[in-house]
Amino acid sequence: DIQMTQSPSSLSASVGDRVTITCRASQTVSHYLNWYQQKPGEAPRLLIYAASSLQSAVPSRFSGSGSGTDFTLTISNLQPEDFATYHCQQTYSSPHTFGQGTTVEIK
Amino acid sequence: QVQLVQSAAEVKKPGASVKVSCKASDNTFSYFGITWVRQAPGQGLEWMGWISAYNGKTKYAQKLQGRLSMTTDTSTSTAYMDLRSLRSDDTAVYYCARDVAARLGELNYLDSWGQGTLVTVSS
């Protein structure tokens, strides 16, 4: 199975900050990498698919980059509604494993 | 966007089975896949498996093989997840999600999610 490792596991940031979350795969996943946002008590929500494509209706302050084994999710100009947990997922090969999640907290 | 509505919470004893349903709101159901994901309390997301609503093909996580079954009923746009021989570590919120690809190996991603079904396994 492909292992997905996110860093950091959690971070504290302020409204207006630029935040970067990293996801590393144990072997190449090409561009088959998705990002989801999850708020407490809610289902995850798709933000980015295919490493860098922004899902419809997702604000443009969210962006994704990377290919192969190293990927980043960047949130520019962090907003109050962005405080949540972010998950990466590879769909290069099954099982379509997730990272352990990164929680973005208010500083 | 399609809505996925899941069945209500369940409480089961160890060794029992649970069947969770996931009904889609539109008639495009058979063009996509359905992935099931679970999340134990305070933990991350765990991919359980995938079923194509197009042709019924399935792929399960190895650790759940033998206990897990996924089916679909295209006449009612409903997917089902059946987990047998339940253990306490199966306690989790179970989510269904629509996979935009009808086949594995295509550009798979999960664009709509159900609200989640809490399954509690306790004696």
Side-chain angles (χ1 to χ4, degrees):
Chain A
D1 298 359
I2 298 176
Q3 307 301 317
M4 306 300 294
T5 302
Q6 291 182 231
S7 61
S9 295
S10 65
L11 64 91
S12 296
S14 300
V15 172
D17 283 354
R18 179 184 179 91
V19 167
T20 298
I21 298 168
T22 296
C23 180
R24 175 163 288 175
S26 60
Q27 62 190 79
T28 184
V29 298
S30 184
H31 62 290
Y32 293 86
L33 192 286
N34 310 315
W35 291 96
Y36 303 88
Q37 177 194 64
Q38 186 179 28
K39 297 180 179 179
E42 296 184 5
R45 167 199 178 200
L46 178 68
L47 297 177
I48 302 285
Y49 63 93
S52 60
S53 295
L54 191 68
Q55 171 66 351
S56 175
V58 173
S60 59
R61 63 180 179 274
F62 291 93
S63 63
S65 65
S67 67
T69 60
D70 294 311
F71 301 86
T72 59
L73 173 70
T74 299
I75 313 171
S76 60
N77 189 20
L78 195 68
Q79 295 298 297
E81 60 268 30
D82 301 336
F83 292 96
T85 298
Y86 295 85
H87 307 272
C88 64
Q89 181 205 24
Q90 65 81 20
T91 57
Y92 181 76
S93 69
S94 62
H96 292 171
T97 42
F98 289 89
Q100 81 279 15
T102 295
T103 300
V104 177
E105 300 169 328
I106 302 172
K107 182 182 283 186
Chain B
Q1 185 132 5
V2 68
Q3 290 196 346
L4 301 175
V5 179
Q6 298 183 222
S7 49
E10 303 256 18
V11 179
K12 296 292 184 180
K13 293 194 181 303
S17 298
V18 69
K19 191 167 188 175
V20 179
S21 67
C22 170
K23 183 172 174 60
S25 62
D26 68 11
N27 58 6
T28 64
F29 180 78
S30 61
Y31 296 105
F32 300 99
I34 293 288
T35 288
W36 289 87
V37 174
R38 69 180 180 179
Q39 187 170 37
Q43 302 300 308
L45 302 173
E46 179 184 8
W47 186 88
M48 299 177 66
W50 171 93
I51 182 168
S52 170
Y54 175 72
N55 59 17
K57 188 171 183 178
T58 57
K59 184 74 172 180
Y60 302 143
Q62 178 116 19
K63 67 177 285 190
L64 296 172
Q65 288 271 7
R67 295 201 297 135
L68 178 63
S69 296
M70 295 179 184
T71 56
T72 59
D73 181 344
T74 54
S75 69
T76 60
S77 299
T78 304
Y80 298 93
M81 185 281 298
D82 192 345
L83 189 61
R84 301 175 291 278
S85 302
L86 289 168
R87 309 188 291 243
S88 58
D89 62 356
D90 291 318
T91 294
V93 176
Y94 289 75
Y95 294 103
C96 63
R98 186 178 80 167
D99 188 325
V100 298
R103 297 177 179 83
L104 286 180
E106 296 181 348
L107 188 59
N108 302 93
Y109 56 91
L110 307 175
D111 72 337
S112 295
W113 292 67
Q115 82 276 18
T117 296
L118 175 62
V119 175
T120 303
V121 183
S122 174
S123 54

